Amino acid sequence: MPLAEPHDDHLPKEDQVALDGAFGNPDDNVVSETSGTSGPTATGDGPSVQSESALPESALPESALPESALPESALPESALPESVLPESVLPEPEPTLPEPVRQRIVTLTAAVLPTLPADEVPVPLRRVAKFAPNRRARLGAPVIAAQLTADPLFRQRVTARVLADAGDLGAAVVEGTAPAAADPVEVAALAYLARPRGWRELIDASGAAVRAEADSAVVAELVREAEQRATRAEHDRAVARVEAEKLRDELARVREELGQLREESRQVARTLRETQARERKATELLATERGRAARASADVDAELRRARARLAEAEAAAGVARASAKEARSVDDARLWLLLETIGQAAVGLRRELALDPVDKLPADFVADAFAEQPGTAPASPAARARDTDDPARLDQLLALPRAHLVVDGYNVTKRGFGDMSLEQQRKRLITGLGGIAAQTGDEITVVFDGAERMHGLPPAPRGVRVLFSRKGETADELIRRLVRAEPSGRPVVVVSSDREVADGVRRHGAYPLGADSLLRRLARS
């Protein structure tokens, strides 16, 4: 299934046509490599794409292409500073994804990671791709989400495999439609990866569906709690009815006993007239006391019923209060979690943007590995005519700049200062003096000599000094220009050579050319 390019719904039609014209014909750019060859990408951060797995640049968003793949006049406006971009073409920020959608995107990406070729997997995800399936999405979620946001080419490769597995649903999402019976979370995840026209609306609709499900769950929980409270109230009423029935039975039994006693008293009255008056009086007194006891019992029962009713009301009110407090606490916890998550993601993004990983090699080391070989015994070319003689104080000022790189045209300096010595002695004296400067300033120093044949018995270079010999068919001047071009823009690079051609060439690349006399005077002073 072809990859769907991101589409900006908010650009006017005229601006979209203008952007397409500015970027040129996307079918003219194709990523290709010779068979069996791989190398660093334009930025040097990730593996190169092999010819059998390379995707045509026309199938990728132009934001995913390296700047070196586009002509300088056809760079997209997204590569320009935001201060010079018109408001109508500024890139929109990434949408805020609901948590189920984010988890689904990470799960889909983790599932296809092992199917990608090793050179198509970004360096931070290569270790994650080796995890077990049940640990890959759980432990690698932050790294996967960061790579999907920062690496459009990687997202396109993942999208191709995810859409192929999704079948008809993936085709519908690429066309910008969502089937009514489809899972909104699945639709939103596919829309985020494929990014067809209207993909943001699909994600918003999924968020609304997720929130609706959460609200339904909350309502169902409230209904369940209300039913439980009603059940408890019904149970309390049943218990009260049972107690009332017991009291009625007790009252009936007391009344029955009272009748029996009255009958016995009449019989005793007939037989014992003498005690009749006392018996009657005692009977009346007993009846009075029992009546009071019955009334007191009724009053106690009524008070007990009222107390139980008040207790039930208090329990209901307490349940409502607990539910309200729990809901309020949940809202506060959600807001706090969202705030901390936002701060954490912002900190991770800022760290990824500014705090680069430590490097083991400097730019000059890459040039040395690519273009310089072991020293040879071939005689050095005659030193070129000096351009001018600079003050050594100027050299000290430039070396005082932070992270300065001093590049020395070796034989150009030694022929001018130590011409009466042999070549071996010239090299040894210059390298020893440069070692002292490196120890004093702590700057990076590279000295370049002409030489194609291998030399034996060379002493080790001092700490902080790099010694390079040009290979066969290449001069030291060409190697110096390659070293200067390899340095990042803005780093102070000082080139010491009295050759006017070398000085003019490195000046065009932002380096500071100085004459050989400035270095010779600096060495003589130290």
Side-chain angles (χ1 to χ4, degrees):
M1 182 176 293
L3 299 179
E5 296 191 15
H7 182 80
D8 195 346
D9 295 331
H10 300 281
L11 282 179
K13 183 177 181 182
E14 296 79 11
D15 292 344
Q16 187 68 40
V17 174
L19 285 177
D20 294 340
F23 295 157
N25 187 1
D27 295 333
D28 295 340
N29 298 326
V30 179
V31 179
S32 63
E33 289 188 352
T34 59
S35 62
T37 304
S38 65
T41 61
T43 61
D45 293 334
S48 61
V49 179
Q50 298 293 338
S51 58
E52 64 269 17
S53 62
L55 295 174
E57 293 179 359
S58 59
L60 301 176
E62 292 174 351
S63 61
L65 294 178
E67 292 183 2
S68 60
L70 294 174
E72 196 172 66
S73 59
L75 285 177
E77 294 183 358
S78 61
L80 299 176
E82 293 184 358
S83 58
V84 300
L85 285 175
E87 294 183 359
S88 60
V89 295
L90 285 177
E92 292 188 4
E94 288 289 318
T96 301
L97 299 176
E99 183 62 19
V101 176
R102 187 190 69 81
Q103 293 178 357
R104 184 55 181 166
I105 292 173
V106 170
T107 301
L108 292 175
T109 306
V112 303
L113 270 182
T115 66
L116 293 174
D119 56 359
E120 293 184 2
V121 178
V123 174
L125 292 179
R126 291 180 180 176
R127 184 178 179 184
V128 176
K130 298 177 182 179
F131 290 173
N134 59 341
R135 299 177 64 235
R136 195 180 304 129
R138 177 168 54 87
L139 299 181
V143 182
I144 293 174
Q147 287 298 320
L148 287 176
T149 303
D151 192 344
L153 179 57
F154 170 65
R155 188 178 63 245
Q156 290 282 345
R157 291 167 176 166
V158 171
T159 302
R161 288 162 173 78
V162 171
L163 292 179
D165 296 337
D168 295 339
L169 179 58
V173 171
V174 170
E175 294 175 359
T177 60
D183 184 3
V185 173
E186 187 74 17
V187 171
L190 294 177
Y192 177 82
L193 293 173
R195 302 202 174 184
R197 181 186 299 274
W199 65 281
R200 293 177 181 274
E201 287 75 8
L202 292 176
I203 293 178
D204 293 340
S206 173
V210 171
R211 288 191 295 271
E213 291 179 0
D215 294 341
S216 299
V218 171
V219 171
E221 180 65 19
L222 293 176
V223 170
R224 185 181 64 81
E225 291 180 357
E227 290 177 350
Q228 291 178 352
R229 290 196 298 270
T231 302
R232 288 195 298 269
E234 184 64 27
H235 177 266
D236 293 340
R237 285 194 295 270
V239 170
R241 285 195 295 268
V242 170
E243 292 294 333
E245 290 295 332
K246 290 181 179 179
L247 293 174
R248 291 192 187 94
D249 294 341
E250 182 68 19
L251 180 59
R253 187 180 62 80
V254 170
R255 288 176 178 174
E256 183 178 356
E257 291 179 355
L258 179 58
Q260 293 176 357
L261 291 174
R262 286 176 179 174
E263 182 64 27
E264 291 176 358
S265 66
R266 284 194 296 269
Q267 293 177 359
V268 172
R270 282 192 300 265
T271 58
L272 300 172
R273 295 175 181 175
E274 297 175 355
T275 60
Q276 186 176 9
R278 289 180 298 178
E279 179 69 21
R280 188 181 304 109
K281 189 176 181 179
T283 301
E284 292 175 358
L285 182 59
L286 178 60
T288 302
E289 292 299 328
R290 286 180 175 176
R292 291 177 180 178
R295 287 192 298 271
S297 177
D299 293 340
V300 169
D301 293 339
E303 185 65 25
L304 179 60
R305 287 192 294 272
R306 286 193 296 270
R308 287 175 176 173
R310 287 194 298 269
L311 179 59
E313 294 175 357
E315 289 178 351
V320 173
R322 284 194 298 270
S324 300
K326 182 178 180 181
E327 183 178 359
R329 196 162 49 249
S330 300
V331 172
D332 293 339
D333 292 345
R335 291 177 178 173
L336 180 58
W337 178 89
L338 181 59
L339 177 60
L340 294 177
E341 184 71 11
T342 303
I343 294 173
Q345 292 180 2
V348 171
L350 186 60
R351 185 181 303 109
R352 184 176 60 253
E353 180 179 355
L354 300 180
L356 300 177
D357 294 334
V359 295
D360 296 330
K361 302 179 70 175
L362 297 172
D365 294 325
F366 291 96
V367 176
D369 295 340
F371 302 101
E373 295 178 351
Q374 294 296 330
T377 58
S381 60
R385 183 174 57 88
R387 179 177 64 85
D388 57 6
T389 302
D390 295 326
D391 188 353
R394 175 62 175 164
L395 177 60
D396 292 338
Q397 292 176 355
L398 293 175
L399 292 180
L401 297 174
R403 299 293 296 171
H405 185 186
L406 176 62
V407 182
V408 180
D409 189 351
Y411 286 134
N412 184 273
V413 175
T414 59
K415 291 285 187 179
R416 192 177 184 88
F418 323 120
D420 55 341
M421 299 180 180
S422 65
L423 293 180
E424 182 180 358
Q425 292 175 339
Q426 291 178 16
R427 291 193 300 269
K428 183 176 180 180
R429 183 169 179 178
L430 177 60
I431 292 173
T432 303
L434 292 176
I437 295 178
Q440 293 173 3
T441 63
D443 293 330
E444 179 185 0
I445 298 178
T446 303
V447 57
V448 182
F449 295 100
D450 285 301
E453 299 180 4
R454 182 177 181 83
M455 294 184 179
H456 299 278
L458 289 175
R463 182 179 180 86
V465 178
R466 183 188 298 107
V467 181
L468 301 179
F469 287 83
S470 63
R471 62 187 179 184
K472 188 175 181 179
E474 185 179 44
T475 64
D477 299 344
E478 295 172 350
L479 183 53
I480 290 173
R481 284 191 286 270
R482 293 181 186 275
L483 287 169
V484 173
R485 287 195 298 269
E487 294 294 342
S489 177
R491 184 185 184 184
V493 181
V494 183
V495 178
V496 176
S497 177
S498 295
D499 190 337
R500 184 181 299 276
E501 182 179 358
V502 173
D504 293 340
V506 299
R507 185 184 289 108
R508 286 194 296 269
H509 294 286
Y512 299 93
L514 294 179
D517 289 341
S518 62
L519 179 59
L520 291 172
R521 292 179 183 178
R522 176 66 174 79
L523 294 174
R525 187 181 63 190
S526 60

